[in-house]
Amino acid sequence: MNIKELTQIREQQWWELIKRLNEEPFKYHIGDGEISLKGEEFKLQQRIALRNIGIINPNKIEEYIATGGYFALARALENEPKEVIKTIKDANLRGRGGAGFPAGRKWEAAAYHETDEKYVVCNADEGDPGAYMDRSILEGDPHTVLEGMALCGYAIGASKGYIYVRAEYPKAVASLITAIEQAKAHNLLGNHILGSDFHFDIELRLGAGAFVCGESTALMESIEGKRGMPRNKEFRTTERGLWGKPTVINNVETLANIPPILTKGAQWFKEIGTEKSSGTKVFALVGKVQKPGLVEVPMGMSIYDIVYLIGGGIPKGKKAKAVQTGGPSGGCIPSHLFDTKVDFESLEAVGSIMGSGGMVVMDENDCMVDIAKFFLEFSVDESCGKCTPCRIGNKRLLEILQRLTLGEGEISDLTKLENLSRVICQTSLCGLGQSSPNPVLSTLNYFYDEYKEHAQDKHCRSGVCKALLRYEINDRCVGCTRCVQHCPVDCISGSIRERHYIDATECIHCGECFKNCPVNAIDVF
Amino acid sequence: MFIFDFEENKEKVDQFIQFMDKNRQMKGVLLPVLQEAQNKFGYLPKEILQLISSHLGIPTSTIYGVATFYSQFSFVPRGKYSISVCMGTACYVNGAADILDEFSKVLSINLGETTADRKFSIIETRCVGLCSDAPVVTINNQVYTHFKKSDVKHILSLLP
């Protein structure tokens, strides 16, 4: 295979693809060499990483080539590796996995070290609950990830790549296996790629259900067949990574951005987004929102625009309370800050992080103390146990939160929560521990009143913390006895056709009476 | 305690040994080998861990250390139907905890347990990435989206 043959496939397959897409004209816009999806929700989006999702058939390499795929690699191979690095650096592409480290600088550092072997690792261990853009890319456009990895391999001088993918994503695994086979058969992976002297192979490794393996050094330990515990950060992974060799580790979405940047140029990419955060970001807009789904928008769009203009607002006429970004490492942004722009700096400024791009919308029925507890449970469960602040500190944080949601908290607990959180952030070994108290800190900051109510008044305004609810029967009661029949602890008394009473000391706050009352005679406080 | 019957599983064990032999040279082979064992036998029997140890020359203590680290591995057989409730954020705010409670109540087992007849087991799973269709329940490989608490009894009655 060479670039001439690649061009032949492209020209031939382009018309095949157009023919197929034209069978469903209401779904696609077909312009001059560009195809996009039709629909109201796509108008405000700009799809780069997701450009082929829902358009090409992921199991056909020809369709990927038809849209210009593998041409970035073919052209790069005609130039020096450092040209690739320069373009990525100039484009200011920052890592989409969460921390936002410039990809170009990472590549440059790994290229600098001269050794017998280097590695490219694709981090497809997408563990943040509420984020699924990587799954979507792996399933819908696997070749863009392979091409991105091959380009990275060429740039830094590596001949071997690994994709570490979650075992929870069986479809993504299947689509990657097919894609790797096809790329090898077309001489786009393997030895002498496109007739050049560049050799590059990709091997798939499956995760085994450990969130911490998304941390780069833990992931490398896991590939090496060990317990996935983060390493002490003596060396950057670009110097000593996988098996002690220079390694570049990039996330799926980052890699999906590489081919378009090399095709269209650094300047094109830099003009999208904000000054410090170039390009677009994919968000998984989920939770209490009318039209949940993946959205890819230029960096710098406001949360309001994403939630209301693209997501269609909150269902059932409810009010938004907060948006949670960054998963268990991120924070809750309250609705009065919805004009915050989504880019790396602005999100950090309001106490959250970009993270991998989960955006969970919460409404007035969500309790912020309970949400903090939910994320802490996650972090406690997933802490690897290597360092003390994370292993024990998070457990203590969780215990305090549990006390609060059970009505056993005190006002002094709130100070303890904050102090302990700061200690854990400052002293943990890896990113998991350093960011695990973020959900607590941000909710404490923006929803202090709710915490205070839990601690002082033993009250949960959202009605989520069941132990804090108080049920009372009002004078609308018609004495139908239905609540008596449903009460599992027999704590409701009263005769037929007369007003009933709940014995608060016996009540277990299960809410069955409330749910079954035909005349709304039960008040919840 | 579950005793692993080598005679009954002879064919699977042979295939498993072949798998180890084939991949012996692979760097960091332990995890793929454990995953193969989990898929083949449904759990990691102690006897199989010892077999891996003698075959690959890795101490059983190391193997045990690795296997206990990852939640994918189980040391007890799971039920014929492994019910897993997604506990990702989107599922959680859409009522996943209530669904989990309902399964637990109806089957009278706790999270992580298997019913005495080995028919059902309940586990919670990390985000499966179907957040826009939350809440999500997976039973073996069948995925149920927009699951409701009231669906629990109905679904269970459909499983033979």
Side-chain angles (χ1 to χ4, degrees):
Chain A
M1 175 83 91
N2 54 37
I3 199 160
K4 223 170 107 188
E5 286 164 32
L6 201 64
T7 315
Q8 266 174 14
I9 298 182
R10 177 188 184 166
E11 281 167 5
Q12 210 176 38
Q13 292 295 323
W14 171 257
W15 297 111
E16 296 275 324
L17 178 64
I18 299 295
K19 215 170 87 189
R20 179 172 72 76
L21 299 183
N22 271 334
E23 285 167 17
E24 292 172 284
F26 51 89
K27 262 178 92 174
Y28 309 99
H29 271 298
I30 299 168
D32 186 26
E34 299 257 341
I35 305 165
S36 59
L37 291 167
K38 273 186 190 172
E40 201 57 41
E41 64 268 36
F42 297 112
K43 276 190 184 151
L44 286 167
Q45 298 193 39
Q46 182 168 7
R47 288 162 92 97
I48 299 175
L50 301 179
R51 63 197 181 281
N52 292 327
I53 308 290
I55 295 171
I56 65 165
N57 175 350
N59 295 319
K60 278 182 79 179
I61 190 171
E62 293 84 4
E63 294 206 351
Y64 179 68
I65 295 172
T67 59
Y70 285 111
F71 278 87
L73 178 64
R75 295 212 182 87
L77 291 176
E78 291 172 347
N79 292 313
E80 289 290 306
K82 59 176 190 257
E83 296 292 322
V84 176
I85 295 180
K86 188 173 180 306
T87 310
I88 300 301
K89 255 182 93 176
D90 289 347
N92 186 27
L93 172 66
R94 298 174 61 176
R96 265 43 175 172
F101 190 83
R105 267 172 56 200
K106 223 185 231 183
W107 291 21
E108 192 176 46
Y112 169 80
H113 296 284
E114 280 183 26
T115 52
D116 52 338
E117 187 68 289
K118 294 178 189 178
Y119 298 102
V120 178
V121 176
C122 167
N123 184 347
D125 192 43
E126 183 178 51
D128 275 3
Y132 62 103
M133 57 288 296
D134 293 352
R135 176 182 69 82
S136 168
I137 294 172
L138 295 170
E139 287 178 8
D141 194 14
H143 285 287
T144 187
V145 179
L146 304 186
E147 189 182 3
M149 286 179 74
L151 282 161
C152 176
Y154 180 67
I156 68 166
S159 58
K160 174 101 191 168
Y162 287 95
I163 302 179
Y164 186 91
V165 59
R166 288 179 86 197
E168 285 89 339
Y169 288 173
K171 265 194 197 162
V173 173
S175 119
L176 281 169
I177 291 174
T178 313
I180 292 174
E181 271 171 22
Q182 289 176 345
K184 277 185 182 161
H186 283 77
N187 184 226
L188 295 160
L189 282 179
N191 290 334
H192 296 287
I193 292 174
L194 292 162
S196 71
D197 286 334
F198 174 54
H199 316 302
F200 192 72
D201 247 323
I202 293 178
E203 201 180 296
L204 213 55
R205 286 296 170 96
L206 263 61
F211 174 70
V212 71
C213 287
E215 200 272 351
S216 54
T217 58
L219 188 150
M220 290 172 193
E221 290 282 302
S222 185
I223 292 183
E224 292 179 13
K226 303 181 207 151
R227 289 167 72 92
M229 300 207 284
R231 298 172 181 166
N232 289 343
K233 308 285 183 293
E234 283 167 78
F235 301 98
R236 285 196 178 276
T237 51
T238 46
E239 188 181 348
R240 289 191 198 177
L242 193 58
W243 284 296
K245 303 289 183 191
T247 305
V248 163
I249 177 162
N250 280 137
N251 137 290
V252 173
E253 194 189 331
T254 315
L255 290 165
N257 273 297
I258 302 283
I261 291 176
L262 288 166
T263 307
K264 297 185 176 176
Q267 197 51 38
W268 162 78
F269 192 75
K270 256 200 91 68
E271 278 165 15
I272 304 165
T274 65
E275 197 194 333
K276 285 188 175 159
S277 304
S278 307
T280 57
K281 177 77 192 87
V282 185
F283 291 97
L285 185 61
V286 293
K288 308 282 177 63
V289 63
Q290 294 272 16
K291 289 184 277 182
L294 289 184
V295 299
E296 181 169 357
V297 295
M299 299 252 202
M301 189 181 262
S302 73
I303 295 177
Y304 182 90
D305 287 354
I306 297 177
V307 173
Y308 288 89
L309 300 187
I310 300 178
I314 319 298
K316 298 177 194 160
K318 296 233 162 98
K319 274 198 213 113
K321 189 187 253 182
V323 153
Q324 207 280 346
T325 69
S329 320
C332 289
I333 301 163
S335 54
H336 71 264
L337 290 177
F338 273 13
D339 55 355
T340 305
K341 292 180 167 34
V342 290
D343 57 58
F344 290 101
E345 285 75 23
S346 310
L347 286 175
E348 214 182 302
V350 294
S352 189
I353 60 163
M354 176 79 86
S356 54
M359 194 176 260
V360 186
V361 184
M362 291 164 188
D363 69 12
E364 48 201 326
N365 287 27
D366 291 307
C367 165
M368 288 297 130
V369 183
D370 182 65
I371 290 296
K373 192 184 82 171
F374 166 78
F375 283 115
L376 246 293
E377 272 168 4
F378 184 91
S379 296
V380 166
D381 223 36
E382 294 295 347
S383 169
C384 78
K386 185 170 178 171
C387 73
T388 323
C390 176
R391 183 182 65 240
I392 298 172
N394 279 322
K395 183 115 181 95
R396 293 288 100 87
L397 273 187
L398 177 61
E399 284 166 3
I400 299 176
L401 290 170
Q402 278 166 340
R403 282 210 298 274
L404 287 170
T405 54
L406 287 173
E408 294 160 7
E410 289 163 24
I411 196 80
S412 62
D413 282 338
L414 306 189
T415 332
K416 275 188 210 151
L417 269 183
E418 182 159 4
N419 290 343
L420 184 53
S421 291
R422 300 221 180 275
V423 172
I424 298 171
C425 287
Q426 284 161 8
T427 53
S428 290
L429 174 65
C430 82
L432 192 154
Q434 286 159 11
S435 60
S436 58
N438 280 354
V440 180
L441 285 170
S442 72
T443 48
L444 253 182
N445 183 14
Y446 295 119
F447 301 95
Y448 189 80
D449 287 352
E450 276 190 47
Y451 275 89
K452 214 169 132 189
E453 279 169 14
H454 280 74
Q456 236 168 16
D457 316 332
K458 316 292 178 210
H459 174 63
C460 173
R461 65 170 84 168
S462 319
V464 173
C465 303
K466 291 208 174 100
L468 302 187
L469 298 183
R470 201 157 45 84
Y471 293 91
E472 264 176 35
I473 298 178
N474 60 33
D475 54 11
R476 277 201 297 273
C477 177
V478 292
C480 72
T481 75
R482 199 180 285 187
C483 54
V484 180
Q485 291 157 32
H486 280 92
C487 178
V489 290
D490 296 327
C491 73
I492 306 178
S493 55
S495 359
I496 254 186
R497 281 190 283 279
E498 274 174 31
R499 184 172 165 184
H500 284 48
Y501 291 93
I502 298 174
D503 180 355
T505 55
E506 294 288 315
C507 175
I508 58 163
H509 322 281
C510 68
E512 285 299 315
C513 53
F514 176 76
K515 262 183 265 167
N516 287 294
C517 179
V519 291
N520 291 330
I522 295 173
D523 294 327
V524 190
F525 301 97
Chain B
M1 270 302 285
F2 300 98
I3 310 276
F4 185 74
D5 188 338
F6 269 96
E7 276 310 304
E8 203 177 293
N9 290 292
K10 192 171 182 314
E11 201 181 326
K12 283 185 184 172
V13 173
D14 286 346
Q15 287 168 357
F16 179 62
I17 292 177
Q18 274 176 22
F19 178 86
M20 284 195 285
D21 286 337
K22 204 179 101 194
N23 294 296
R24 189 181 283 276
Q25 297 305 321
M26 186 199 273
K27 278 174 138 184
V29 71
L30 182 55
L31 219 51
V33 163
L34 288 172
Q35 282 163 337
E36 178 73 11
Q38 172 77 40
N39 289 342
K40 261 209 151 46
F41 307 110
Y43 70 113
L44 297 180
K46 197 174 95 197
E47 295 81 354
I48 292 294
L49 296 185
Q50 284 160 348
L51 179 76
I52 298 173
S53 169
S54 60
H55 221 80
L56 298 177
I58 304 172
T60 357
S61 57
T62 308
I63 298 176
Y64 190 71
V66 172
T68 48
F69 186 82
Y70 299 95
S71 63
Q72 190 192 11
F73 302 121
S74 163
F75 297 93
V76 290
R78 295 215 168 113
K80 181 180 170 196
Y81 298 104
S82 180
I83 300 163
S84 63
V85 181
C86 177
M87 286 303 252
T89 324
C91 290
Y92 185 77
V93 299
N94 281 304
D98 286 344
I99 294 171
L100 196 61
D101 284 348
E102 183 72 5
F103 271 116
S104 207
K105 212 167 95 187
V106 174
L107 294 172
S108 310
I109 49 169
N110 289 322
L111 181 66
E113 292 179 353
T114 305
T115 51
D117 59 0
R118 285 221 210 163
K119 194 169 170 192
F120 300 107
S121 51
I122 314 175
I123 51 172
E124 59 172 26
T125 176
R126 291 290 175 235
C127 183
V128 291
L130 291 168
C131 313
S132 52
D133 299 314
V136 178
V137 168
T138 317
I139 302 179
N140 294 347
N141 286 323
Q142 181 69 38
V143 179
Y144 300 90
T145 54
H146 301 291
F147 201 87
K148 286 190 286 295
K149 189 179 159 189
S150 52
D151 295 338
V152 167
K153 283 187 182 146
H154 177 66
I155 287 282
L156 290 175
S157 71
L158 292 179
L159 300 172

